[in-house]
Amino acid sequence: MDPAAIEFLQSYESELVGMQRPDKGVINVLTMLASDNIDAPPVANGIVACIEKCIRMFPPNKKLIPLYLMDSIIKNVGTVYTHLFMQNLTEIFCNSFAAVDNQTRASYIKLLDTWKVSDSSSSSSSSLSLIQSHQAQSVFPPAKNEEIRTRLAAMLQVRLDHPPPPPRLDS
């Protein structure tokens, strides 16, 4: 990769790492930069690798920031980026989901639901039923959304089947 591309990717990562909370303006700029580099495969790959790295490395309270950026790029740029993100999407999304608290998990489910073209109606608002509601068409191929939802449902079911032990009261 040429030095200018390396410098660009370092700057891109620096902007992403610098966000302390989801910032629509910064996310829009980073999305436009991704769009500008759609025809430069090494840079597009580098952008995806940068975002995936940040999702993996950020502390739980910041993991939604790069996920929101990924979401913006997929929805606004699509094509090459959708294919690139799809390669590690299940692992990235599910491992990130596992690292966060239940309140934040609700935001993950909402994000996952936005990848549908149209909402499906559900009479229950539990996390498990929201994960299982997948009748609508999605931004990703339906099989990818199904894979993520199935894995999340299994993760939640394991937690229901094996709840953590109650705290010990030492005297």
Side-chain angles (χ1 to χ4, degrees):
M1 192 177 311
D2 70 76
I6 292 169
E7 185 176 332
F8 169 81
L9 290 171
Q10 289 171 339
S11 174
Y12 193 93
E13 183 173 350
S14 178
E15 284 295 318
L16 179 52
V17 169
M19 272 195 281
Q20 296 303 307
R21 57 177 174 66
D23 182 323
K24 186 174 172 103
V26 175
I27 289 173
N28 287 343
V29 167
L30 293 175
T31 299
M32 286 188 287
L33 290 171
S35 179
D36 292 346
N37 287 282
I38 198 165
D39 294 323
V43 177
N45 283 315
I47 288 170
V48 170
C50 166
I51 294 168
E52 289 178 343
K53 174 183 154 187
C54 288
I55 294 168
R56 286 183 181 106
M57 303 302 288
F58 277 14
N61 66 329
K62 290 181 69 178
K63 288 183 180 291
L64 274 171
I65 297 169
L67 278 167
Y68 287 152
L69 174 58
M70 179 191 75
D71 177 69
S72 177
I73 292 170
I74 290 165
K75 289 177 181 169
N76 296 299
V77 182
T79 60
V80 170
Y81 290 101
T82 301
H83 175 73
L84 291 172
F85 279 118
M86 204 168 60
Q87 294 174 17
N88 298 315
L89 183 64
T90 302
E91 178 255 331
I92 294 276
F93 191 91
C94 292
N95 287 346
S96 181
F97 180 88
V100 300
D101 60 39
N102 285 337
Q103 183 177 358
T104 306
R105 285 179 176 181
S107 296
Y108 278 69
I109 301 303
K110 286 179 186 175
L111 178 62
L112 186 59
D113 284 343
T114 69
W115 294 342
K116 295 178 183 178
V117 174
S118 61
D119 292 332
S120 62
S121 58
S122 174
S123 59
S124 174
S125 62
S126 75
S127 294
L128 192 55
S129 66
L130 286 172
I131 289 169
Q132 292 171 334
S133 67
H134 58 275
Q135 294 93 10
Q137 292 295 320
S138 59
V139 173
F140 293 106
K144 181 53 75 174
N145 265 359
E146 178 68 22
E147 179 183 325
I148 294 169
R149 290 173 184 284
T150 300
R151 186 156 163 205
L152 293 179
M155 289 169 56
L156 289 174
Q157 189 61 43
V158 166
R159 292 192 78 202
L160 291 172
D161 291 344
H162 304 290
R168 288 182 38 187
L169 299 174
D170 294 332
S171 47

PDB file of all heavy atoms in Angstrom, residues 84-122:
ATOM      1  N   LEU A  84     -17.693  -6.695   2.003  1.00  0.00           N
ATOM      2  CA  LEU A  84     -16.534  -6.789   2.901  1.00  0.00           C
ATOM      3  C   LEU A  84     -16.959  -6.953   4.359  1.00  0.00           C
ATOM      4  O   LEU A  84     -16.401  -7.788   5.085  1.00  0.00           O
ATOM      5  CB  LEU A  84     -15.642  -5.549   2.745  1.00  0.00           C
ATOM      6  CG  LEU A  84     -14.901  -5.426   1.412  1.00  0.00           C
ATOM      7  CD1 LEU A  84     -14.216  -4.061   1.310  1.00  0.00           C
ATOM      8  CD2 LEU A  84     -13.892  -6.554   1.237  1.00  0.00           C
ATOM      9  N   PHE A  85     -17.922  -6.160   4.806  1.00  0.00           N
ATOM     10  CA  PHE A  85     -18.374  -6.269   6.199  1.00  0.00           C
ATOM     11  C   PHE A  85     -19.060  -7.610   6.455  1.00  0.00           C
ATOM     12  O   PHE A  85     -18.981  -8.138   7.568  1.00  0.00           O
ATOM     13  CB  PHE A  85     -19.315  -5.119   6.566  1.00  0.00           C
ATOM     14  CG  PHE A  85     -18.612  -3.844   6.905  1.00  0.00           C
ATOM     15  CD1 PHE A  85     -18.809  -2.703   6.149  1.00  0.00           C
ATOM     16  CD2 PHE A  85     -17.762  -3.754   8.002  1.00  0.00           C
ATOM     17  CE1 PHE A  85     -18.184  -1.513   6.469  1.00  0.00           C
ATOM     18  CE2 PHE A  85     -17.130  -2.570   8.329  1.00  0.00           C
ATOM     19  CZ  PHE A  85     -17.334  -1.445   7.562  1.00  0.00           C
ATOM     20  N   MET A  86     -19.732  -8.136   5.463  1.00  0.00           N
ATOM     21  CA  MET A  86     -20.477  -9.369   5.644  1.00  0.00           C
ATOM     22  C   MET A  86     -19.563 -10.541   5.998  1.00  0.00           C
ATOM     23  O   MET A  86     -19.981 -11.476   6.673  1.00  0.00           O
ATOM     24  CB  MET A  86     -21.286  -9.680   4.383  1.00  0.00           C
ATOM     25  CG  MET A  86     -22.474 -10.549   4.644  1.00  0.00           C
ATOM     26  SD  MET A  86     -23.592 -10.623   3.239  1.00  0.00           S
ATOM     27  CE  MET A  86     -22.567 -11.298   1.973  1.00  0.00           C
ATOM     28  N   GLN A  87     -18.307 -10.488   5.588  1.00  0.00           N
ATOM     29  CA  GLN A  87     -17.383 -11.596   5.823  1.00  0.00           C
ATOM     30  C   GLN A  87     -17.198 -11.899   7.310  1.00  0.00           C
ATOM     31  O   GLN A  87     -17.068 -13.055   7.695  1.00  0.00           O
ATOM     32  CB  GLN A  87     -16.042 -11.310   5.157  1.00  0.00           C
ATOM     33  CG  GLN A  87     -16.143 -11.275   3.656  1.00  0.00           C
ATOM     34  CD  GLN A  87     -14.850 -10.848   2.985  1.00  0.00           C
ATOM     35  OE1 GLN A  87     -13.779 -10.861   3.582  1.00  0.00           O
ATOM     36  NE2 GLN A  87     -14.948 -10.466   1.731  1.00  0.00           N
ATOM     37  N   ASN A  88     -17.159 -10.886   8.163  1.00  0.00           N
ATOM     38  CA  ASN A  88     -16.941 -11.074   9.602  1.00  0.00           C
ATOM     39  C   ASN A  88     -18.106 -10.583  10.445  1.00  0.00           C
ATOM     40  O   ASN A  88     -17.987 -10.484  11.667  1.00  0.00           O
ATOM     41  CB  ASN A  88     -15.666 -10.339  10.042  1.00  0.00           C
ATOM     42  CG  ASN A  88     -14.434 -10.882   9.361  1.00  0.00           C
ATOM     43  OD1 ASN A  88     -14.249 -12.079   9.266  1.00  0.00           O
ATOM     44  ND2 ASN A  88     -13.600  -9.988   8.853  1.00  0.00           N
ATOM     45  N   LEU A  89     -19.211 -10.267   9.800  1.00  0.00           N
ATOM     46  CA  LEU A  89     -20.317  -9.603  10.487  1.00  0.00           C
ATOM     47  C   LEU A  89     -20.867 -10.394  11.664  1.00  0.00           C
ATOM     48  O   LEU A  89     -21.068  -9.837  12.752  1.00  0.00           O
ATOM     49  CB  LEU A  89     -21.441  -9.290   9.494  1.00  0.00           C
ATOM     50  CG  LEU A  89     -22.631  -8.534  10.055  1.00  0.00           C
ATOM     51  CD1 LEU A  89     -22.207  -7.150  10.530  1.00  0.00           C
ATOM     52  CD2 LEU A  89     -23.721  -8.423   9.016  1.00  0.00           C
ATOM     53  N   THR A  90     -21.118 -11.664  11.481  1.00  0.00           N
ATOM     54  CA  THR A  90     -21.719 -12.456  12.555  1.00  0.00           C
ATOM     55  C   THR A  90     -20.803 -12.470  13.778  1.00  0.00           C
ATOM     56  O   THR A  90     -21.248 -12.193  14.894  1.00  0.00           O
ATOM     57  CB  THR A  90     -22.022 -13.890  12.082  1.00  0.00           C
ATOM     58  OG1 THR A  90     -22.904 -13.816  10.959  1.00  0.00           O
ATOM     59  CG2 THR A  90     -22.661 -14.712  13.188  1.00  0.00           C
ATOM     60  N   GLU A  91     -19.550 -12.776  13.570  1.00  0.00           N
ATOM     61  CA  GLU A  91     -18.589 -12.837  14.679  1.00  0.00           C
ATOM     62  C   GLU A  91     -18.447 -11.474  15.359  1.00  0.00           C
ATOM     63  O   GLU A  91     -18.506 -11.372  16.583  1.00  0.00           O
ATOM     64  CB  GLU A  91     -17.233 -13.333  14.152  1.00  0.00           C
ATOM     65  CG  GLU A  91     -16.144 -13.387  15.209  1.00  0.00           C
ATOM     66  CD  GLU A  91     -15.134 -12.254  15.075  1.00  0.00           C
ATOM     67  OE1 GLU A  91     -14.904 -11.759  13.965  1.00  0.00           O
ATOM     68  OE2 GLU A  91     -14.585 -11.848  16.125  1.00  0.00           O
ATOM     69  N   ILE A  92     -18.278 -10.431  14.566  1.00  0.00           N
ATOM     70  CA  ILE A  92     -18.084  -9.081  15.110  1.00  0.00           C
ATOM     71  C   ILE A  92     -19.320  -8.644  15.900  1.00  0.00           C
ATOM     72  O   ILE A  92     -19.217  -8.183  17.040  1.00  0.00           O
ATOM     73  CB  ILE A  92     -17.828  -8.070  13.965  1.00  0.00           C
ATOM     74  CG1 ILE A  92     -16.514  -8.362  13.269  1.00  0.00           C
ATOM     75  CG2 ILE A  92     -17.892  -6.635  14.442  1.00  0.00           C
ATOM     76  CD1 ILE A  92     -15.297  -7.802  13.906  1.00  0.00           C
ATOM     77  N   PHE A  93     -20.483  -8.764  15.296  1.00  0.00           N
ATOM     78  CA  PHE A  93     -21.711  -8.294  15.932  1.00  0.00           C
ATOM     79  C   PHE A  93     -22.009  -9.093  17.196  1.00  0.00           C
ATOM     80  O   PHE A  93     -22.307  -8.522  18.249  1.00  0.00           O
ATOM     81  CB  PHE A  93     -22.889  -8.377  14.949  1.00  0.00           C
ATOM     82  CG  PHE A  93     -24.125  -7.678  15.418  1.00  0.00           C
ATOM     83  CD1 PHE A  93     -24.345  -6.347  15.095  1.00  0.00           C
ATOM     84  CD2 PHE A  93     -25.073  -8.325  16.198  1.00  0.00           C
ATOM     85  CE1 PHE A  93     -25.478  -5.679  15.537  1.00  0.00           C
ATOM     86  CE2 PHE A  93     -26.213  -7.682  16.643  1.00  0.00           C
ATOM     87  CZ  PHE A  93     -26.415  -6.342  16.314  1.00  0.00           C
ATOM     88  N   CYS A  94     -21.924 -10.412  17.111  1.00  0.00           N
ATOM     89  CA  CYS A  94     -22.295 -11.257  18.249  1.00  0.00           C
ATOM     90  C   CYS A  94     -21.299 -11.139  19.405  1.00  0.00           C
ATOM     91  O   CYS A  94     -21.708 -11.094  20.576  1.00  0.00           O
ATOM     92  CB  CYS A  94     -22.449 -12.702  17.810  1.00  0.00           C
ATOM     93  SG  CYS A  94     -23.873 -12.949  16.712  1.00  0.00           S
ATOM     94  N   ASN A  95     -20.019 -11.078  19.109  1.00  0.00           N
ATOM     95  CA  ASN A  95     -19.035 -10.913  20.186  1.00  0.00           C
ATOM     96  C   ASN A  95     -19.182  -9.554  20.856  1.00  0.00           C
ATOM     97  O   ASN A  95     -19.026  -9.434  22.075  1.00  0.00           O
ATOM     98  CB  ASN A  95     -17.616 -11.111  19.667  1.00  0.00           C
ATOM     99  CG  ASN A  95     -17.316 -12.563  19.363  1.00  0.00           C
ATOM    100  OD1 ASN A  95     -18.038 -13.470  19.760  1.00  0.00           O
ATOM    101  ND2 ASN A  95     -16.244 -12.795  18.629  1.00  0.00           N
ATOM    102  N   SER A  96     -19.487  -8.550  20.083  1.00  0.00           N
ATOM    103  CA  SER A  96     -19.713  -7.226  20.644  1.00  0.00           C
ATOM    104  C   SER A  96     -20.971  -7.230  21.511  1.00  0.00           C
ATOM    105  O   SER A  96     -20.983  -6.703  22.632  1.00  0.00           O
ATOM    106  CB  SER A  96     -19.833  -6.208  19.505  1.00  0.00           C
ATOM    107  OG  SER A  96     -20.029  -4.915  20.000  1.00  0.00           O
ATOM    108  N   PHE A  97     -22.028  -7.850  21.015  1.00  0.00           N
ATOM    109  CA  PHE A  97     -23.288  -7.982  21.760  1.00  0.00           C
ATOM    110  C   PHE A  97     -23.039  -8.671  23.100  1.00  0.00           C
ATOM    111  O   PHE A  97     -23.567  -8.265  24.135  1.00  0.00           O
ATOM    112  CB  PHE A  97     -24.274  -8.791  20.910  1.00  0.00           C
ATOM    113  CG  PHE A  97     -25.626  -9.012  21.519  1.00  0.00           C
ATOM    114  CD1 PHE A  97     -26.643  -8.088  21.337  1.00  0.00           C
ATOM    115  CD2 PHE A  97     -25.899 -10.165  22.243  1.00  0.00           C
ATOM    116  CE1 PHE A  97     -27.911  -8.307  21.879  1.00  0.00           C
ATOM    117  CE2 PHE A  97     -27.158 -10.391  22.792  1.00  0.00           C
ATOM    118  CZ  PHE A  97     -28.165  -9.459  22.616  1.00  0.00           C
ATOM    119  N   ALA A  98     -22.220  -9.718  23.092  1.00  0.00           N
ATOM    120  CA  ALA A  98     -21.932 -10.476  24.317  1.00  0.00           C
ATOM    121  C   ALA A  98     -21.195  -9.636  25.355  1.00  0.00           C
ATOM    122  O   ALA A  98     -21.294  -9.900  26.554  1.00  0.00           O
ATOM    123  CB  ALA A  98     -21.119 -11.720  23.979  1.00  0.00           C
ATOM    124  N   ALA A  99     -20.480  -8.610  24.911  1.00  0.00           N
ATOM    125  CA  ALA A  99     -19.652  -7.814  25.820  1.00  0.00           C
ATOM    126  C   ALA A  99     -20.410  -6.692  26.520  1.00  0.00           C
ATOM    127  O   ALA A  99     -19.883  -6.092  27.458  1.00  0.00           O
ATOM    128  CB  ALA A  99     -18.473  -7.220  25.041  1.00  0.00           C
ATOM    129  N   VAL A 100     -21.618  -6.393  26.073  1.00  0.00           N
ATOM    130  CA  VAL A 100     -22.326  -5.222  26.598  1.00  0.00           C
ATOM    131  C   VAL A 100     -23.441  -5.623  27.561  1.00  0.00           C
ATOM    132  O   VAL A 100     -23.856  -6.778  27.610  1.00  0.00           O
ATOM    133  CB  VAL A 100     -22.887  -4.340  25.460  1.00  0.00           C
ATOM    134  CG1 VAL A 100     -21.751  -3.831  24.563  1.00  0.00           C
ATOM    135  CG2 VAL A 100     -23.929  -5.073  24.637  1.00  0.00           C
ATOM    136  N   ASP A 101     -23.938  -4.629  28.303  1.00  0.00           N
ATOM    137  CA  ASP A 101     -25.024  -4.876  29.265  1.00  0.00           C
ATOM    138  C   ASP A 101     -26.369  -4.982  28.539  1.00  0.00           C
ATOM    139  O   ASP A 101     -26.484  -4.679  27.357  1.00  0.00           O
ATOM    140  CB  ASP A 101     -25.053  -3.783  30.336  1.00  0.00           C
ATOM    141  CG  ASP A 101     -25.270  -2.387  29.760  1.00  0.00           C
ATOM    142  OD1 ASP A 101     -26.070  -2.235  28.809  1.00  0.00           O
ATOM    143  OD2 ASP A 101     -24.646  -1.440  30.258  1.00  0.00           O
ATOM    144  N   ASN A 102     -27.379  -5.415  29.277  1.00  0.00           N
ATOM    145  CA  ASN A 102     -28.701  -5.637  28.674  1.00  0.00           C
ATOM    146  C   ASN A 102     -29.310  -4.367  28.102  1.00  0.00           C
ATOM    147  O   ASN A 102     -29.990  -4.417  27.071  1.00  0.00           O
ATOM    148  CB  ASN A 102     -29.645  -6.276  29.684  1.00  0.00           C
ATOM    149  CG  ASN A 102     -29.338  -7.736  29.898  1.00  0.00           C
ATOM    150  OD1 ASN A 102     -28.740  -8.389  29.046  1.00  0.00           O
ATOM    151  ND2 ASN A 102     -29.721  -8.262  31.047  1.00  0.00           N
ATOM    152  N   GLN A 103     -29.099  -3.241  28.732  1.00  0.00           N
ATOM    153  CA  GLN A 103     -29.653  -1.984  28.210  1.00  0.00           C
ATOM    154  C   GLN A 103     -29.043  -1.662  26.846  1.00  0.00           C
ATOM    155  O   GLN A 103     -29.747  -1.272  25.918  1.00  0.00           O
ATOM    156  CB  GLN A 103     -29.408  -0.841  29.198  1.00  0.00           C
ATOM    157  CG  GLN A 103     -30.014   0.468  28.748  1.00  0.00           C
ATOM    158  CD  GLN A 103     -29.826   1.569  29.791  1.00  0.00           C
ATOM    159  OE1 GLN A 103     -29.281   1.348  30.858  1.00  0.00           O
ATOM    160  NE2 GLN A 103     -30.286   2.750  29.465  1.00  0.00           N
ATOM    161  N   THR A 104     -27.752  -1.851  26.723  1.00  0.00           N
ATOM    162  CA  THR A 104     -27.081  -1.588  25.452  1.00  0.00           C
ATOM    163  C   THR A 104     -27.470  -2.628  24.411  1.00  0.00           C
ATOM    164  O   THR A 104     -27.567  -2.315  23.224  1.00  0.00           O
ATOM    165  CB  THR A 104     -25.553  -1.560  25.658  1.00  0.00           C
ATOM    166  OG1 THR A 104     -25.251  -0.617  26.692  1.00  0.00           O
ATOM    167  CG2 THR A 104     -24.826  -1.166  24.386  1.00  0.00           C
ATOM    168  N   ARG A 105     -27.742  -3.852  24.851  1.00  0.00           N
ATOM    169  CA  ARG A 105     -28.161  -4.895  23.913  1.00  0.00           C
ATOM    170  C   ARG A 105     -29.426  -4.493  23.181  1.00  0.00           C
ATOM    171  O   ARG A 105     -29.610  -4.847  22.012  1.00  0.00           O
ATOM    172  CB  ARG A 105     -28.368  -6.225  24.643  1.00  0.00           C
ATOM    173  CG  ARG A 105     -27.061  -6.875  25.014  1.00  0.00           C
ATOM    174  CD  ARG A 105     -27.268  -8.168  25.738  1.00  0.00           C
ATOM    175  NE  ARG A 105     -25.966  -8.774  25.970  1.00  0.00           N
ATOM    176  CZ  ARG A 105     -25.799  -9.931  26.562  1.00  0.00           C
ATOM    177  NH1 ARG A 105     -26.847 -10.623  26.979  1.00  0.00           N
ATOM    178  NH2 ARG A 105     -24.592 -10.408  26.719  1.00  0.00           N
ATOM    179  N   ALA A 106     -30.301  -3.770  23.854  1.00  0.00           N
ATOM    180  CA  ALA A 106     -31.523  -3.302  23.194  1.00  0.00           C
ATOM    181  C   ALA A 106     -31.168  -2.428  21.987  1.00  0.00           C
ATOM    182  O   ALA A 106     -31.827  -2.499  20.941  1.00  0.00           O
ATOM    183  CB  ALA A 106     -32.407  -2.543  24.169  1.00  0.00           C
ATOM    184  N   SER A 107     -30.106  -1.619  22.093  1.00  0.00           N
ATOM    185  CA  SER A 107     -29.664  -0.793  20.967  1.00  0.00           C
ATOM    186  C   SER A 107     -29.120  -1.665  19.837  1.00  0.00           C
ATOM    187  O   SER A 107     -29.284  -1.340  18.658  1.00  0.00           O
ATOM    188  CB  SER A 107     -28.595   0.205  21.417  1.00  0.00           C
ATOM    189  OG  SER A 107     -29.138   1.102  22.356  1.00  0.00           O
ATOM    190  N   TYR A 108     -28.468  -2.749  20.184  1.00  0.00           N
ATOM    191  CA  TYR A 108     -27.975  -3.677  19.165  1.00  0.00           C
ATOM    192  C   TYR A 108     -29.136  -4.296  18.394  1.00  0.00           C
ATOM    193  O   TYR A 108     -29.083  -4.410  17.163  1.00  0.00           O
ATOM    194  CB  TYR A 108     -27.150  -4.803  19.815  1.00  0.00           C
ATOM    195  CG  TYR A 108     -25.721  -4.428  20.105  1.00  0.00           C
ATOM    196  CD1 TYR A 108     -25.403  -3.507  21.087  1.00  0.00           C
ATOM    197  CD2 TYR A 108     -24.681  -5.013  19.401  1.00  0.00           C
ATOM    198  CE1 TYR A 108     -24.099  -3.170  21.364  1.00  0.00           C
ATOM    199  CE2 TYR A 108     -23.357  -4.685  19.672  1.00  0.00           C
ATOM    200  CZ  TYR A 108     -23.075  -3.757  20.655  1.00  0.00           C
ATOM    201  OH  TYR A 108     -21.782  -3.415  20.918  1.00  0.00           O
ATOM    202  N   ILE A 109     -30.180  -4.695  19.119  1.00  0.00           N
ATOM    203  CA  ILE A 109     -31.343  -5.294  18.468  1.00  0.00           C
ATOM    204  C   ILE A 109     -32.012  -4.263  17.558  1.00  0.00           C
ATOM    205  O   ILE A 109     -32.401  -4.580  16.425  1.00  0.00           O
ATOM    206  CB  ILE A 109     -32.348  -5.844  19.502  1.00  0.00           C
ATOM    207  CG1 ILE A 109     -31.702  -6.910  20.387  1.00  0.00           C
ATOM    208  CG2 ILE A 109     -33.608  -6.383  18.821  1.00  0.00           C
ATOM    209  CD1 ILE A 109     -31.117  -8.084  19.645  1.00  0.00           C
ATOM    210  N   LYS A 110     -32.114  -3.017  18.023  1.00  0.00           N
ATOM    211  CA  LYS A 110     -32.694  -1.961  17.172  1.00  0.00           C
ATOM    212  C   LYS A 110     -31.856  -1.773  15.915  1.00  0.00           C
ATOM    213  O   LYS A 110     -32.399  -1.614  14.813  1.00  0.00           O
ATOM    214  CB  LYS A 110     -32.788  -0.649  17.946  1.00  0.00           C
ATOM    215  CG  LYS A 110     -33.885  -0.634  18.976  1.00  0.00           C
ATOM    216  CD  LYS A 110     -33.905   0.687  19.719  1.00  0.00           C
ATOM    217  CE  LYS A 110     -34.912   0.643  20.859  1.00  0.00           C
ATOM    218  NZ  LYS A 110     -34.874   1.869  21.667  1.00  0.00           N
ATOM    219  N   LEU A 111     -30.535  -1.785  16.063  1.00  0.00           N
ATOM    220  CA  LEU A 111     -29.656  -1.646  14.906  1.00  0.00           C
ATOM    221  C   LEU A 111     -29.862  -2.814  13.949  1.00  0.00           C
ATOM    222  O   LEU A 111     -30.040  -2.615  12.740  1.00  0.00           O
ATOM    223  CB  LEU A 111     -28.194  -1.574  15.354  1.00  0.00           C
ATOM    224  CG  LEU A 111     -27.147  -1.485  14.248  1.00  0.00           C
ATOM    225  CD1 LEU A 111     -27.332  -0.209  13.423  1.00  0.00           C
ATOM    226  CD2 LEU A 111     -25.747  -1.529  14.845  1.00  0.00           C
ATOM    227  N   LEU A 112     -29.879  -4.017  14.474  1.00  0.00           N
ATOM    228  CA  LEU A 112     -30.102  -5.195  13.643  1.00  0.00           C
ATOM    229  C   LEU A 112     -31.442  -5.099  12.917  1.00  0.00           C
ATOM    230  O   LEU A 112     -31.544  -5.429  11.733  1.00  0.00           O
ATOM    231  CB  LEU A 112     -30.043  -6.450  14.517  1.00  0.00           C
ATOM    232  CG  LEU A 112     -30.108  -7.799  13.831  1.00  0.00           C
ATOM    233  CD1 LEU A 112     -28.977  -7.978  12.824  1.00  0.00           C
ATOM    234  CD2 LEU A 112     -30.060  -8.911  14.871  1.00  0.00           C
ATOM    235  N   ASP A 113     -32.453  -4.609  13.613  1.00  0.00           N
ATOM    236  CA  ASP A 113     -33.770  -4.458  12.992  1.00  0.00           C
ATOM    237  C   ASP A 113     -33.776  -3.406  11.881  1.00  0.00           C
ATOM    238  O   ASP A 113     -34.579  -3.499  10.956  1.00  0.00           O
ATOM    239  CB  ASP A 113     -34.837  -4.127  14.035  1.00  0.00           C
ATOM    240  CG  ASP A 113     -35.241  -5.343  14.856  1.00  0.00           C
ATOM    241  OD1 ASP A 113     -34.952  -6.489  14.443  1.00  0.00           O
ATOM    242  OD2 ASP A 113     -35.848  -5.150  15.924  1.00  0.00           O
ATOM    243  N   THR A 114     -32.895  -2.413  11.938  1.00  0.00           N
ATOM    244  CA  THR A 114     -32.853  -1.411  10.866  1.00  0.00           C
ATOM    245  C   THR A 114     -32.280  -1.983   9.584  1.00  0.00           C
ATOM    246  O   THR A 114     -32.411  -1.364   8.530  1.00  0.00           O
ATOM    247  CB  THR A 114     -32.045  -0.150  11.249  1.00  0.00           C
ATOM    248  OG1 THR A 114     -30.656  -0.479  11.341  1.00  0.00           O
ATOM    249  CG2 THR A 114     -32.555   0.483  12.519  1.00  0.00           C
ATOM    250  N   TRP A 115     -31.648  -3.129   9.672  1.00  0.00           N
ATOM    251  CA  TRP A 115     -31.116  -3.752   8.465  1.00  0.00           C
ATOM    252  C   TRP A 115     -32.205  -4.435   7.661  1.00  0.00           C
ATOM    253  O   TRP A 115     -31.950  -4.979   6.592  1.00  0.00           O
ATOM    254  CB  TRP A 115     -29.991  -4.733   8.812  1.00  0.00           C
ATOM    255  CG  TRP A 115     -28.790  -4.032   9.382  1.00  0.00           C
ATOM    256  CD1 TRP A 115     -28.487  -2.704   9.292  1.00  0.00           C
ATOM    257  CD2 TRP A 115     -27.741  -4.614  10.129  1.00  0.00           C
ATOM    258  NE1 TRP A 115     -27.319  -2.425   9.939  1.00  0.00           N
ATOM    259  CE2 TRP A 115     -26.832  -3.587  10.469  1.00  0.00           C
ATOM    260  CE3 TRP A 115     -27.461  -5.903  10.558  1.00  0.00           C
ATOM    261  CZ2 TRP A 115     -25.677  -3.815  11.202  1.00  0.00           C
ATOM    262  CZ3 TRP A 115     -26.308  -6.122  11.289  1.00  0.00           C
ATOM    263  CH2 TRP A 115     -25.425  -5.096  11.603  1.00  0.00           C
ATOM    264  N   LYS A 116     -33.424  -4.363   8.169  1.00  0.00           N
ATOM    265  CA  LYS A 116     -34.571  -4.864   7.420  1.00  0.00           C
ATOM    266  C   LYS A 116     -35.109  -3.724   6.564  1.00  0.00           C
ATOM    267  O   LYS A 116     -35.123  -2.575   6.992  1.00  0.00           O
ATOM    268  CB  LYS A 116     -35.683  -5.321   8.370  1.00  0.00           C
ATOM    269  CG  LYS A 116     -35.315  -6.501   9.227  1.00  0.00           C
ATOM    270  CD  LYS A 116     -36.473  -6.809  10.132  1.00  0.00           C
ATOM    271  CE  LYS A 116     -36.149  -7.934  11.064  1.00  0.00           C
ATOM    272  NZ  LYS A 116     -37.251  -8.203  11.974  1.00  0.00           N
ATOM    273  N   VAL A 117     -35.599  -4.077   5.395  1.00  0.00           N
ATOM    274  CA  VAL A 117     -36.211  -3.078   4.528  1.00  0.00           C
ATOM    275  C   VAL A 117     -37.543  -2.634   5.111  1.00  0.00           C
ATOM    276  O   VAL A 117     -37.881  -1.474   5.104  1.00  0.00           O
ATOM    277  CB  VAL A 117     -36.367  -3.624   3.094  1.00  0.00           C
ATOM    278  CG1 VAL A 117     -37.140  -2.654   2.235  1.00  0.00           C
ATOM    279  CG2 VAL A 117     -35.004  -3.902   2.502  1.00  0.00           C
ATOM    280  N   SER A 118     -38.299  -3.581   5.658  1.00  0.00           N
ATOM    281  CA  SER A 118     -39.560  -3.239   6.306  1.00  0.00           C
ATOM    282  C   SER A 118     -39.621  -3.947   7.637  1.00  0.00           C
ATOM    283  O   SER A 118     -39.097  -5.046   7.786  1.00  0.00           O
ATOM    284  CB  SER A 118     -40.745  -3.650   5.435  1.00  0.00           C
ATOM    285  OG  SER A 118     -40.734  -5.049   5.235  1.00  0.00           O
ATOM    286  N   ASP A 119     -40.246  -3.316   8.617  1.00  0.00           N
ATOM    287  CA  ASP A 119     -40.346  -3.899   9.947  1.00  0.00           C
ATOM    288  C   ASP A 119     -41.376  -5.011   9.963  1.00  0.00           C
ATOM    289  O   ASP A 119     -42.397  -4.946   9.298  1.00  0.00           O
ATOM    290  CB  ASP A 119     -40.771  -2.838  10.978  1.00  0.00           C
ATOM    291  CG  ASP A 119     -39.682  -1.810  11.191  1.00  0.00           C
ATOM    292  OD1 ASP A 119     -38.506  -2.161  11.004  1.00  0.00           O
ATOM    293  OD2 ASP A 119     -40.020  -0.658  11.536  1.00  0.00           O
ATOM    294  N   SER A 120     -41.101  -6.034  10.783  1.00  0.00           N
ATOM    295  CA  SER A 120     -42.115  -7.049  11.042  1.00  0.00           C
ATOM    296  C   SER A 120     -42.741  -6.719  12.379  1.00  0.00           C
ATOM    297  O   SER A 120     -42.096  -6.188  13.256  1.00  0.00           O
ATOM    298  CB  SER A 120     -41.487  -8.443  11.057  1.00  0.00           C
ATOM    299  OG  SER A 120     -40.539  -8.531  12.084  1.00  0.00           O
ATOM    300  N   SER A 121     -44.003  -7.019  12.524  1.00  0.00           N
ATOM    301  CA  SER A 121     -44.659  -6.684  13.783  1.00  0.00           C
ATOM    302  C   SER A 121     -44.496  -7.831  14.757  1.00  0.00           C
ATOM    303  O   SER A 121     -44.496  -8.986  14.380  1.00  0.00           O
ATOM    304  CB  SER A 121     -46.140  -6.399  13.552  1.00  0.00           C
ATOM    305  OG  SER A 121     -46.754  -7.515  12.972  1.00  0.00           O
ATOM    306  N   SER A 122     -44.341  -7.482  16.015  1.00  0.00           N
ATOM    307  CA  SER A 122     -44.195  -8.477  17.064  1.00  0.00           C
ATOM    308  C   SER A 122     -45.015  -8.031  18.248  1.00  0.00           C
ATOM    309  O   SER A 122     -44.976  -6.867  18.629  1.00  0.00           O
ATOM    310  CB  SER A 122     -42.714  -8.598  17.450  1.00  0.00           C
ATOM    311  OG  SER A 122     -42.566  -9.452  18.560  1.00  0.00           O
TER     312      SER A 122
END
